[in-house]
Every structure is written in structure tokens, then in C-alpha cells.
Amino acid sequence: MANEKIPYKVYLEEHEMPKAWYNVRADMKKKPAPLLNPGTLEPMTAEELGVVFCEDLVQQELDNDTAYFEIPEEIREFYKMYRPSPLVRAYCLEKKLGTPAKIYYKFEGNNTSGSHKLNSAIAQAYYAKKQGLKGVTTETGAGQWGTALSMACAYLDLDCKVYMVKVSYEQKPFRREVMRTYGASVTPSPSDTTEIGKKILAEHPGTNGSLGCAISEAVEVAVSNPGYRYVLGSVLNQVLLHQSVIGLEAKAAFDKIGVKPDMIIGCAGGGSNLGGLISPFMGEKLRGENDYEIIAVEPASCPSFTRGVYAYDFCDTGMVCPLAKMYTLGSDFIPSPNHAGGLRYHGMSPVLSELYDQGLIKATSVEQTAVFEAAEQFARCEGILPAPESSHAIRVAIDEALKCKETGEEKTILFGLTGTGYFDLYAYQKFNDGQMDDYIPTDEELAKYREKLPKVDK
Amino acid sequence: MANEKIPYKVYLEEHEMPKAWYNVRADMKKKPAPLLNPGTLEPMTAEELGVVFCEDLVQQELDNDTAYFEIPEEIREFYKMYRPSPLVRAYCLEKKLGTPAKIYYKFEGNNTSGSHKLNSAIAQAYYAKKQGLKGVTTETGAGQWGTALSMACAYLDLDCKVYMVKVSYEQKPFRREVMRTYGASVTPSPSDTTEIGKKILAEHPGTNGSLGCAISEAVEVAVSNPGYRYVLGSVLNQVLLHQSVIGLEAKAAFDKIGVKPDMIIGCAGGGSNLGGLISPFMGEKLRGENDYEIIAVEPASCPSFTRGVYAYDFCDTGMVCPLAKMYTLGSDFIPSPNHAGGLRYHGMSPVLSELYDQGLIKATSVEQTAVFEAAEQFARCEGILPAPESSHAIRVAIDEALKCKETGEEKTILFGLTGTGYFDLYAYQKFNDGQMDDYIPTDEELAKYREKLPKVDK
């Protein structure tokens, strides 16, 4: 059998690693909607964006036409420290499920940040350094992005100020400690170090914080401190561009073994992993060269694709950021406190939102108990303790493989294993103790948040 | 320059992975001393050992002559899930240090157990399964071995009972949770589930436990429950045999790039990593084919090589195990409570002890603050948060590279990076907060423990 020749893990050689990022927007006939200035409702200019973001990143953010951006030599060297990531054939999982499906995953957790976030963190830190800046500010929720950015900044000797959602800061002291080991300063958000933080604390004393609120604080610090800019780990076009390295490597590895996936599955919060994983495959789909079934998986407790609306919305709670057109639940939406892990942003990448709106991506939502069941099953036979985020994709990959078992189809399934769950063991403990529960927001709740969407006629 | 062709990471292809473990005892002219029956002081027979250990493992334990043991197909398949581990060229660290030395490390942390321990765990679990047993028992201190064994047992559907040193059980709840996720039962030791545990609790109420005590409990449970055997993650000959896969892969990777290391550095607690890492190199040294400088690094707070004696001693606190001739501090020795991480066993592998006694290995000890300084420096430029254990080797590798900077020597240094520090962030936090201190036992203290060594005239 040809398949017996496929190794457990396919690694590219260094010289086979991507030398350019792929910009899927270049192949989209209908482009994603532009970011708008919340005051004028006109598209943000490069100059306006340059107050918040680094110059090169602004260009990447606005460029809908250039298909390939060369990866700078210094970033490629950094990538070599932890990339290429393996494309893994999940032989043990297939055997356990008794499925004729062929399951592959692209594993991004083999670096200390524990996730794919490092791919964009090093790029954003590099351009900040190139511009001669002193440092960058950001927010982090579950902590993967903050950790990744701390690592990138330590490598480049850049200052790194992280605003960490308060509840995570308290529940994940070890995440905080990793960031400190990499030299970052970590502040629980909301804090009294910013005007917006003080305002939120005054209005909501005792709040646990949220991503939207931490974003507002980080942006305020960036724009009010000379030599600083703000960086973000998901949602933005530039992030999807950098994360295309995941999909490009996966595609190259598949080509190397002569396999074409039928179905690509990824978890989706802000969209950084899914957007990166699917990019070259989506490019082929957009150009009519190949077809792939692409499935976004989101938590039932934060269902922006499956139950949100496609509209202009604020990216943050403090409304200091530009407006983005995206699938959104409303910028005040915060998932239920019993929601574990990341994937808790109220909106979705504008690129993915547009692709979804065009019917090029499907979406589904899953409940967290079922997600942890899949996580445990995967851990026991594949030897990797997956992050809760990644486990959303595992859940659907397992379900699809079990459908193949019924129908006899030998589908080739690829899913993104974005990271490891070493810092999510509170959630695993809850699951092990049978104390995990599920929460699905009601239609009434969602309607309440939707009412607050800004009125933008575009 | 030829060196520019060497990639950051050298991976073997699957077909290049070792098909047999190497038994360094076969090339030793003077063999390690046999285990003794503590009652008769005669060498333990296969029959006697078979009460505690699985049959195949007893054969491996006693065989001083067979150079190669074929790795069973099922274990080789399991190895393919997380091996080959990369041989990494530490370009970034070299650059940071400004050294002409060429630094390589063999990284064993890319699996959920987070360390090299899985290499022997799957082997021991496999032989238990092959013998038709229901399950295995073991002890764990820092938790790496327990985690590895839980993973292996989950894969093979074997029951797994772990006795975890009480202080670790309480301070590392996440380690415990990983083991539970893999289906193991985890009991804090000493416990009232065993006779020896009850005895120790009665004699030392409120004790924090120790490795020696947890070993006694695990052995008692194994021998008193039909269908169970005891397994151990270090010290034993069989463990060094399985861990030879580390060194065999490293050697094959070096051969592939045409490099020969001058110096090999490994941390040493019970000796599982060091023994595995050096095995094929030591084989060449024993056969007079090549010379290598080999350095064992141990904590100054648990200095069995550098300040212990080479004598027969008990392997456990309860004195239920055979006697082993090894460098030892005495079986009652417990490192100071402020000692972080593993490497806390009172003795050392009999194989390594004999090689050290013959002058074929050097040993040095380092203090933990200096170890964490090295860990942080490494993390910031190599992107991996190292385990405290591994960081002992990093400390000495950095020191040796800095010596090369002074002398201008272009030495090629290999060290073992046994694992990651994700579950050691309490210790990192102490270090980050400037609250870590060092402890070196006094000569008087060590003499006190030495007095209790059994009187064996061999």
C-alpha cells in the first residue's frame, strides 16, 4: 500500500521552508471590507494606522493585491529555531477510531509559547525593531499570544508590555511567570495604569476584565508613549499573512508525499490559525484550481460565525480602535465565565468573514464537554496534550472520521493542532472531576449585544 | 564555510532511527557490580527479581554481555509518534555568548511527558503488557516519570498506579492532573494505602515524603497485588539500555552531518538521561575507537558523584529493594526543601558509578541560582523554556563555551536537553522574584547519612 510509505511525521528540509508569506486577499475577487475611522466612517489611511501600528505592518494590513511578501532573512532564521512544524499522520487515532479516513494534523505547539502565535509575534516584533522603536504593547487572554510576543521581544531586545485579562492573570500565574522569564512586564487588565482602565474600573468595580478591554488599554499605552506601537495576535489581515506559513508548510509537505486533503478543519476565535492554515488551499480554491471543504469550528459559547451578524463593529471595548466589518456578536459580548481557554473574541477576522459570507468556508460550533472528551481521546492515543482551542478542531475531525467509518469513505482530513494544553490544566481538572458544564447563550442575550452595534451603512 | 550547511535542527528519517538499543555493559571490561539480596548479600537471581520486575526486563537487567537488544516493533511504532528528537545546533546561544565553540543539544522535551522519560516508560509498559499483566506501579518525584508512564499505559490499556512524593503532589497539582487525564491513579506518598507508608507516617507524622519512601510503597503494592509489577524511571541497567536511543540518534545525526563532538555534558540524578545520551560514545571510548570528554552535572544540594561514596546501599527508604553498588549519599538523604526540580535521588546508576570510578566520566556540581540564570539565558535566545534538571547541563555547557571564548578553541559541545519546564514555574517564579537560594550540605551532614550505609564487604 502506498500509504504505508507515509511516515508519522513529515518534516520539510530547511531549504524547503517558505521564503514568502502568501496574501490570500490577492486572489479574492471581492476583497474584505476596509477598516473605518470610527469618527469619519471613512477607510483608515496608512497615516492614521501608523499612529497605532508599525509602518511595514500598516502596508501589509492595507495591501489587498500583492500575493507574496518576502519573509525577511532575520525572521526566517528565527523560524528555523522552531520550524518547520511537523505534518503528522494520526495513525494511532485512526486505529483507535477504526476509520478508513486518513487524518493529518499540522502541529504548532513545539515551541515554548506553546502555539502558532509565535509565527506572527516574531514578524511584528521584527518590524518594530526595524523601525527603531523601543517596544510594543499588547493584550493577552488565555496567554498564548502574550507568551509568544514576550519570546520574540526577548530575542530582539525590545521592551514588551502585556495587558492580561484579569481573570487569566489570576487563574494562570504560570503563564504570567513565563512572560516574566522572557522579560515582559505583565499588568492585569483593567488596571489603573490607563485612563480607559480607570474608567472601566469606575463603571464596573470588581470586573474580571475582557479581551476588548485589555485591547483598549494596550492601545492607549502605545499611542501615549513615544517609541511604542501596539501589536495584535489575531483578527488583522497582517496576522493572517504571517500565519500563512502554517498552510504553506502543510501544503509543501502534502505535495512532498503526493497527498491532497479533502477537508481542512481549524478552530476559529479571531481567525489567526484557521486563516493561516487554509491560506494556500483557499488560494487554489479561489483560482478554481482545486476544491477543498473548509470547516471553521467555534465554541458554542462564543459563536460569532454561526450566530453573529456580518456588520461593522468596534474591535475593542473602549472604542479606541478602527471599526472592522466582520462576523460579530457585539463588542460588549463576553463568553460565560465557565468557558475554558481562548476563542473568546466577539468578532472574527474580516478576511475569513468575507470568505464565509461568500460560502467558501463552512462553520460549526461545539460544546466544551464534547471538546474535552475529544481532547482526552486524542491525548491518550497521539501522546500530545492538546490546548482547549485546538481541541475544537479535534472534536470535529473525530466526528468527520466517524462519519467516514459509517459510509466507508476514505477521506483525507487535515486539521490544525494549534498548541498544547500545559497551561490549561485547571480546565482539564474540571473535566477530570466531572465538573465541566456547557453554556449556550440564548437568542435574547445575543440580541441584546447586537443592539449596540454601531450604525454604519456600509 | 562547511558549518553554514549545518541546519538548526538535524532530524533523522524514520528509516534511520535506531532498530536496537545499545547495552554499554557489553563493552565494559570491569562490569558494574550486581544487585544483592539484602538478606543473603548474594547476587539477585532472575527468579528473585521476577517477583518485582517483568520477565523480559529482568533479562535486560542482568545481561552484561549482549551489546544490542532489538527494539520490538510496537515500541518502534510508538517512538515514531514523538521521535526522532531533534539534534539542535544552538546558533542563537553561540551568537549571544560570542563563543567560537559549536554547541549542540539533543532535545527530548517534544512530547507531553515533557522529558526523555517516555523512552523507557513505553518499553517497560510494553513488556508488562506482553507478560499479560494488569498493570504497573511506580513512584514519581518531580513528576516527569509518572507522566511518561501514564502516557505509555494509556496507550497500551494498562492500569497505572503512581505514588507521588507528597510535597510534589501538593505543589504540582497540574502534573497530577496530566497523569489523571491519561487515566492513572495518583496517591500522595507516604500514604495509608501500604504497610510501609503507615509505618513511615507513624514514625514521621507530617513528613513531606521522599523518593526513597515512594519507591517502597510502589514496590509493596506491586508485590502484594497479583498481576502487577513495579517499574522505575532511572538508576537501573534496563533504563539506561532503553535510554540509549537518545545517544544512538544523536550519534547518527552527527554522523549524517560529519561532525564529532569533543565534549558531552549531561545532568545526572539517577543517571537515565546521562547514561542514555553517552552510551554509543562511551562504547567507542571503551573500545578505544574515539575519545570524548564526558561530564556529569549534578546539583550541589544532592552531590552523589562529587561527594558521595562508592558502596553498596539501599535503593529505597523502606529497604525492600535489592542493594546496589553505586555512588551514594546514603538512603536517608533528602535534599534541602529549597532544592527545585528533580535530580534528588540519593544514589546513582551502577553503570555510571562504575564508569566514573574508572575515570571515564568526570563530574561537577552546580548551585541552583546559577542553574536558573543559565536557564533564563537559554530560554531567551533558544526559545525553549528548559526544565530545571536540563538546566544543570546548560549551565556547564555555557561555562565551557565561555572558556572557549577565552582560549579561542573551537570545541564541539553536545549537551542533553532532557525536557521542558512548563511544570516548574513555581521555581521560575522564585527565581524571577529573587527569592531563590542555594544550599550545600555540610561535611558533617553527609557523614551522618554515610554512617547508616549497610555493611557489605563487596
Side-chain angles (χ1 to χ4, degrees), chain B residues 3 6 87 102 104 250-251 253-264 281 284-285 289-293 410-414:
Chain B
N3 276 341
I6 294 173
L87 177 70
K102 290 159 187 58
Y104 291 83
K251 180 81 173 63
F254 272 125
D255 289 347
K256 200 170 170 173
I257 54 172
V259 170
K260 176 193 163 295
D262 300 302
M263 178 180 276
I264 304 169
F281 303 99
E284 291 189 344
K285 193 165 168 162
E289 297 163 6
N290 252 321
D291 196 20
Y292 302 94
E293 189 176 354
E410 296 189 16
K411 279 191 190 170
T412 297
I413 298 171
L414 164 66

Side-chain angles (χ1 to χ4, degrees), chain B residues 278-319:
Chain B
I278 67 173
S279 60
F281 303 99
M282 182 56 79
E284 291 189 344
K285 193 165 168 162
L286 287 164
R287 297 189 301 269
E289 297 163 6
N290 252 321
D291 196 20
Y292 302 94
E293 189 176 354
I294 294 173
I295 304 177
V297 189
E298 58 187 16
S301 53
C302 190
S304 45
F305 261 152
T306 50
R307 298 176 68 199
V309 290
Y310 190 30
Y312 267 104
D313 195 9
F314 298 104
C315 294
D316 65 324
T317 307
M319 306 179 183

Side-chain angles (χ1 to χ4, degrees), chain B residues 152-172:
Chain B
C153 288
Y155 183 78
L156 294 169
D157 281 324
L158 266 182
D159 186 38
C160 178
K161 297 185 195 298
V162 180
Y163 283 81
M164 187 170 186
V165 176
K166 198 174 175 188
V167 61
S168 296
Y169 182 90
E170 285 164 1
Q171 285 182 359
K172 295 192 167 186

